[in-house]
Amino acid sequence: MDAEIISVDSMQVYRRMDIGTAKPSPDLRAEIPHHLIDIVEPQDAFSVAEFQRAGRAALADAERRRAAVIVAGGSGLHYRSLLDPLEFPPTDDSVRSELEALPVEDRRRMLLAADPAAAHHVDLANPRRVLRALEIVHLTGEGPSQRAARPAAQAVRQFEAIRPFDAIGIDAGAHLPERARQRFDAMLDAGLLSEVEGLADDLGPTARQAVGYKELLPVVRGEADLATGRRAGIDATTSLAGRQRTYFRKDPRISWIPWHDEAARRLASARQTLEHAWIS
């Protein structure tokens, strides 16, 4: 299709995290332009808001050059941050630290005092979500119900994009657990354990949560054997794929095609689905 690719993978942004994030090969990236890959160091934090700014800049540049773009990846929030009017309120470490020092129940009372309807929009049993909502109140003056009433928030709930696009999802198929096992074992054969070992001291709080790296870090530290790390990595991969499927299935804009073991058949189905969307 003579298109460029914008990755919406939350972990491919990190340099040196190659095998475990299944980055496209250097040869493929030399042949086809890829964006939002290898843009920050693994010790750095890289928020969705920062990802949104970088991704929208890449989209705008492609539009100026009249280049076709394929957005590809499995991180749902990052995908929507580029194509939908998601707004990310500011953060402040000092404010958060002050709020974290308060008892959890006090935080709940403060949030409800600021926004009596907060329970309709925030899980009050989740301390992390309450803390974040209260931080936003302190920084913006807006409670969860006020933010939910904003036009952009309503558009997000209704899946109204900021730009036209056609979306294809590939169904995971019935043999996902076995494919997850094969995928993780192939990564181990390709040197994933050595990659994690080389990165162990450089992984920041976000990067160390990446599937595969998180499960193999205890192996590198001598806290678990490889068999245990391998099993945990396979389970985490399967679980992540299930959560991704649930997330994306809620999006009515995505046309789904069935899984085929043969890549050529998946490609043919994708092309047929796109052509149908274009004709319609």
Side-chain angles (χ1 to χ4, degrees):
M1 298 175 65
D2 194 27
E4 300 179 8
I5 292 175
I6 293 183
S7 164
V8 286
D9 186 294
S10 64
M11 295 299 169
Q12 288 185 355
V13 298
Y14 291 109
R15 301 184 184 103
R16 296 189 287 146
M17 294 175 63
D18 301 329
I19 299 171
T21 66
K23 283 180 189 170
S25 68
D27 288 345
L28 185 58
R29 289 163 64 186
E31 178 185 352
I32 302 169
H34 285 67
H35 305 276
L36 273 62
I37 295 177
D38 288 346
I39 58 177
V40 291
E41 295 298 331
Q43 60 265 35
D44 297 334
F46 194 66
S47 67
V48 182
E50 291 172 305
F51 182 96
Q52 182 186 64
R53 287 192 289 271
R56 288 188 177 180
L59 281 171
D61 178 64
E63 282 185 340
R64 283 192 296 270
R65 295 183 285 105
R66 299 184 180 275
V69 170
I70 293 176
V71 173
S75 298
L77 186 60
H78 293 69
Y79 144 74
R80 296 202 69 186
S81 78
L82 297 193
L83 300 171
D84 292 337
L86 280 171
E87 298 177 339
F88 298 99
T91 62
D92 187 298
D93 290 341
S94 62
V95 171
R96 176 169 287 240
S97 296
E98 291 178 11
L99 295 173
E100 284 179 326
L102 299 174
V104 172
E105 191 54 42
D106 285 356
R107 288 183 230 151
R108 289 197 191 97
R109 281 197 292 267
M110 290 174 65
L111 180 61
L112 289 172
D115 184 354
H120 295 293
H121 307 282
V122 177
D123 180 4
L124 297 183
N126 186 322
R128 182 176 62 83
R129 294 191 182 277
V130 171
L131 175 63
R132 177 58 176 148
L134 196 55
E135 179 189 17
I136 294 170
V137 170
H138 276 66
L139 293 174
T140 69
E142 288 188 321
S145 59
Q146 290 172 291
R147 292 191 56 79
R150 296 178 67 159
Q154 295 179 38
V156 168
R157 290 194 296 273
Q158 295 167 8
F159 294 95
E160 296 176 1
I162 60 174
R163 62 181 70 236
F165 69 94
D166 297 301
I168 294 175
I170 304 176
D171 189 86
H175 304 293
L176 175 61
E178 175 59 19
R179 287 181 18 237
R181 182 194 66 76
Q182 293 175 356
R183 182 179 190 269
F184 198 78
D185 283 345
M187 288 180 172
L188 286 174
D189 291 343
L192 178 57
L193 185 62
S194 295
E195 182 173 272
V196 175
E197 185 175 14
L199 287 164
D201 295 333
D202 296 329
L203 294 175
T206 303
R208 69 175 55 248
Q209 297 303 312
V211 168
Y213 298 84
K214 179 180 180 180
E215 291 73 29
L216 291 180
L217 277 171
V219 179
V220 169
R221 298 192 192 109
E223 300 166 0
D225 59 24
L226 179 56
T228 300
R230 171 182 174 272
R231 182 71 260 162
I234 293 170
D235 290 345
T237 302
T238 306
S239 178
L240 174 60
R243 293 195 304 273
Q244 289 173 327
R245 185 180 189 276
T246 299
Y247 184 97
F248 285 110
R249 278 287 180 180
K250 296 176 182 177
D251 192 331
R253 300 166 297 188
I254 299 176
S255 298
W256 290 89
I257 62 177
W259 174 261
H260 294 295
D261 289 333
E262 296 178 21
R265 293 186 65 185
R266 295 198 301 272
L267 177 60
S269 294
R271 284 186 178 277
Q272 184 177 17
T273 302
L274 276 179
E275 288 168 358
H276 178 76
W278 294 334
I279 292 172
S280 299

